[in-house]
């Protein structure tokens, strides 16, 4: 039997990388993963935005300020406070979480520079969803009620655990990516290492430090100059509206309803801005809005109290022992006022006096208008008292203020409209904000 040889064409495999090339690609991949792991570990250790901060120093990193709104939202998720402070830059400088009057701890200062009423309500929702709140102190000033309550630059809805209707959100993952994987985080971490002398602006309880404010005042010419510069900008740029904004009233009404619904003890403090700011309100034809604002707040709060809310509004504005603090002399760059920074911002020493009264550690004012609870039965007498204090202030103080836009020269604080100073609106308050989504 003869054998037959059969030839079969071999299956030719497609060409592939050589062994050295394959090892090279694996090496590149491994190196990339190692570098990524080092970047993540370095950013986590440096924590440039304070997202994971447990700092024993009690200070947030300098980069905390650059992402302030997101940073504070993340801090609340980390600390789970039982009490919070809401407001603008006035509150973040002056209202202390360490005050002895707080009953529920921990306390966190959620106030943010330039914060709108919408942002305040959203931060309140965020904090309540993380940990049911017992106490809230909110400081308010007329300017917030003269403009639309929109989210300001830097506010990110994704940083909050609930949406505007109170529904849970897929929270946080974007900010972990930002804090651990981004180039910005890497550069910020390196910057912390290269410039360790950079000073922080915030404590880990959210209170803004006074150090930078003191240095800036002395560097730019002292407090008298800070007052006059602020006044010039205020006259030129701020709050063109002369009436309360309906959307702002509605937004604040929703905030009040949220506190009522969740049984939160809410204390509203009207900021003790310097009397010179009130003089500008009068000069710019906003005194009627100033009084209408207090009437509206009084009515809105009284309605919620009648429904069972633990809420009260206290007035610390006006012409009282705190707000009429004398200014240093022009050119004096060393003297610091005890109670104020400039036209709009007051110091922690004044903020402590506000909390003393809100928490019942000191009796309310008797001899002036600092610390008066606004109630429908006594409101008009209180407003009249402030007008009388205004007249007395003008008699004893020669306050030079910037001219109104279009006026030829500066005027004095001894008059409002036409130099005489109006009595203020006596009309009925606008309708309080209605219940909205919580």
């Amino acid at each position: 039997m003869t054998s037959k040889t059969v030839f079969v064409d071999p299956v030719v495999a497609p060409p592939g990388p050589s062994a050295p090339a394959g090892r090279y690609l694996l090496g590149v991949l491994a190196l990339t993963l190692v570098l990524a792991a080092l970047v993540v570990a370095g950013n986590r250790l440096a924590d440039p935005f304070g997202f994971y901060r447990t700092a024993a120093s009690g200070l947030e990193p300098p980069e905390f300020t650059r992402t302030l709104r997101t940073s504070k939202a993340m801090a609340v998720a980390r600390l789970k406070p039982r009490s919070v402070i809401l407001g603008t830059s006035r509150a973040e400088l002056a209202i202390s979480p360490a005050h002895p009057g707080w009953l529920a701890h921990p306390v966190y200062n959620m106030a943010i520079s330039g914060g709108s009423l919408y942002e305040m309500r959203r931060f309140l929702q965020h904090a309540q969803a993380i940990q049911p709140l017992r106490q809230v102190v909110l400081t308010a000033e007329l300017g917030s009620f003269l403009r639309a309550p929109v989210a300001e630059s830097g506010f990110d809805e994704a940083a909050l655990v609930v949406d505007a209707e109170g529904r849970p959100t897929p929270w946080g993952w974007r900010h972990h990516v930002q804090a651990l994987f981004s180039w910005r985080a890497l550069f910020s971490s390196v910057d912390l290492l290269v410039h360790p002398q950079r000073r922080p602006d915030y404590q880990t309880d959210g209170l803004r430090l006074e150090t930078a404010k003191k240095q800036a005042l002395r560097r730019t010419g002292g407090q008298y100059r800070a007052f006059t510069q602020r006044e010039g900008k205020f006259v030129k740029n701020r709050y063109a509206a002369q009436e309360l904004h309906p959307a702002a009233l509605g937004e604040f009404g929703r905030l009040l309803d949220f506190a009522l619904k969740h049984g939160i003890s809410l204390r509203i403090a009207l900021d003790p801005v310097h009397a010179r700011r009130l003089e500008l309100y009068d000069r710019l034809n906003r005194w009627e809005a100033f009084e209408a604002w207090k009437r509206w707040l009084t009515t809105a709060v009284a309605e919620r109290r009648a429904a069972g809310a633990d809420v009260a509004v206290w007035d610390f504005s006006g012409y009282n022992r705190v707000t009429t603090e004398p200014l240093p002399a022009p050119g004096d760059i060393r003297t610091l006022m005890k109670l104020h920074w400039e036209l709009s911002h007051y110091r922690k020493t004044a903020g402590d006096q506000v909390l003393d009264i809100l928490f019942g550690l000191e009796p309310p004012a008797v001899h002036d208008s600092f610390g008066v609870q606004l109630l429908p039965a006594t409101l008009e007498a209180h407003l009249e008292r402030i007008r009388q204090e205004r007249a007395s202030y003008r008699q004893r103080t020669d306050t030079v203020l910037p001219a109104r836009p279009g006026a030829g020269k500066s005027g004095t604080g001894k008059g409002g409209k036409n130099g005489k100073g109006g009595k203020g609106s006596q009309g009925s308050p606008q309708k309080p904000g209605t219940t909205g989504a919580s």
Side-chain angles (χ1 to χ4, degrees):
M1 181 177 181
T2 60
S3 62
K4 184 178 181 179
T5 303
V6 178
F7 295 93
V8 179
D9 291 335
V11 177
V12 179
S18 64
R23 287 195 295 270
Y24 173 77
L25 291 177
L26 289 175
V28 170
L29 178 61
L31 179 61
T32 301
L33 292 175
V34 169
L35 291 176
L38 290 174
V39 168
V40 170
N43 287 337
R44 178 64 179 83
L45 182 64
D47 190 16
F49 307 121
F51 285 177
Y52 312 103
R53 183 64 57 180
T54 57
S57 66
L59 300 176
E60 296 287 5
E63 293 292 323
F64 184 90
T65 308
R66 295 191 182 182
T67 57
L68 182 63
R69 285 160 166 78
T70 297
S71 295
K72 285 205 167 186
M74 298 286 280
V76 167
R78 182 180 74 241
L79 298 174
K80 298 178 174 58
R82 295 292 313 282
S83 302
V84 297
I85 298 157
L86 298 173
T88 62
S89 54
R90 302 177 189 90
E92 71 171 356
L93 275 165
I95 306 300
S96 174
H99 189 276
W102 294 102
L103 299 177
H105 296 86
V107 184
Y108 190 74
N109 189 322
M110 291 191 76
I112 46 177
S113 297
S116 69
L117 294 176
Y118 173 78
E119 291 174 305
M120 293 180 205
R121 181 175 66 86
R122 293 292 288 117
F123 273 175
L124 181 63
Q125 289 178 301
H126 174 70
Q128 174 67 21
I130 290 170
Q131 171 84 290
L133 297 170
R134 182 175 174 185
Q135 288 179 287
V136 173
V137 167
L138 184 152
T139 73
E141 208 273 333
L142 173 61
S144 297
F145 291 77
L146 296 177
R147 57 191 175 103
V150 297
E152 300 295 336
S153 175
F155 180 81
D156 187 355
E157 295 282 356
L160 309 182
V161 299
V162 292
D163 65 18
E165 303 301 323
R167 296 174 299 229
T169 61
W171 170 79
W173 66 269
R174 286 174 47 194
H175 305 294
H176 292 295
V177 171
Q178 177 185 352
L180 298 176
F181 293 95
S182 69
W183 285 110
R184 181 177 180 181
L186 177 61
F187 292 149
S188 297
S189 296
V190 172
D191 188 57
L192 286 176
L193 295 175
V194 175
H195 302 101
Q197 73 279 7
R198 286 184 59 197
R199 296 184 177 182
D201 291 325
Y202 288 87
Q203 298 177 179
T204 50
D205 61 9
L207 185 69
R208 191 170 186 176
L209 299 171
E210 293 189 341
T211 309
K213 205 69 166 161
K214 292 178 182 178
Q215 293 174 341
L217 286 172
R218 287 170 175 158
R219 186 174 60 250
T220 57
Q223 281 191 287
Y224 183 88
R225 185 175 182 184
F227 266 83
T228 55
Q229 286 181 334
R230 279 266 182 176
E231 289 161 1
K233 292 179 180 178
F234 185 88
V235 168
K236 184 177 180 181
N237 299 322
R238 298 289 281 176
Y239 310 131
Q242 296 180 6
E243 296 181 354
L244 302 178
H245 198 292
L249 302 183
E251 189 62 63
F252 199 76
R254 285 187 283 274
L255 188 151
L256 293 175
D257 291 332
F258 184 87
L260 168 62
K261 176 180 177 180
H262 294 279
I264 299 170
S265 177
L266 173 63
R267 297 295 177 266
I268 303 162
L270 307 191
D271 285 307
V273 296
H274 199 275
R276 291 171 68 102
R277 184 178 177 97
L278 303 190
E279 291 293 272
L280 286 176
Y281 275 148
D282 194 30
R283 173 169 292 277
L284 299 175
N285 300 325
R286 296 189 187 116
W287 191 264
E288 291 187 3
F290 183 61
E291 292 193 343
W293 171 56
K294 295 183 180 183
R295 291 189 179 96
W296 184 89
L297 282 174
T298 302
T299 302
V301 167
E303 290 179 355
R304 274 70 178 188
R305 287 173 65 89
D310 181 9
V311 59
V313 55
W314 290 76
D315 191 5
F316 297 90
S317 67
Y319 297 77
N320 51 59
R321 66 182 185 276
V322 171
T323 63
T324 58
E325 182 182 16
L327 275 62
D332 183 348
I333 65 172
R334 295 190 175 275
T335 301
L336 281 177
M337 298 168 70
K338 295 180 180 179
L339 300 171
H340 289 86
W341 291 112
E342 23 70 6
L343 177 72
S344 181
H345 295 88
Y346 50 99
R347 298 188 63 178
K348 179 179 172 294
T349 47
D352 285 344
Q353 293 185 42
V354 169
L355 292 179
D356 286 344
I357 293 176
L358 288 183
F359 293 146
L361 301 183
E362 292 290 337
V366 176
H367 58 280
D368 69 7
S369 60
F370 184 80
V372 174
Q373 186 175 1
L374 298 186
L375 300 169
T378 57
L379 175 64
E380 293 305 324
H382 172 63
L383 296 179
E384 177 58 31
R385 182 181 190 179
I386 291 178
R387 296 183 207 115
Q388 294 173 0
E389 290 176 349
R390 180 182 64 182
S392 175
Y393 174 78
R394 290 173 176 175
Q395 288 176 355
R396 67 179 187 272
T397 307
D398 187 14
T399 303
V400 178
L401 297 171
R404 291 190 298 268
K409 58 184 179 179
S410 297
T412 70
K414 293 187 178 297
K417 301 176 184 179
N418 303 321
K420 295 180 181 180
K423 183 178 180 181
S425 170
Q426 295 290 330
S428 58
Q430 291 180 250
K431 183 178 180 180
T434 56
T435 302
S438 59

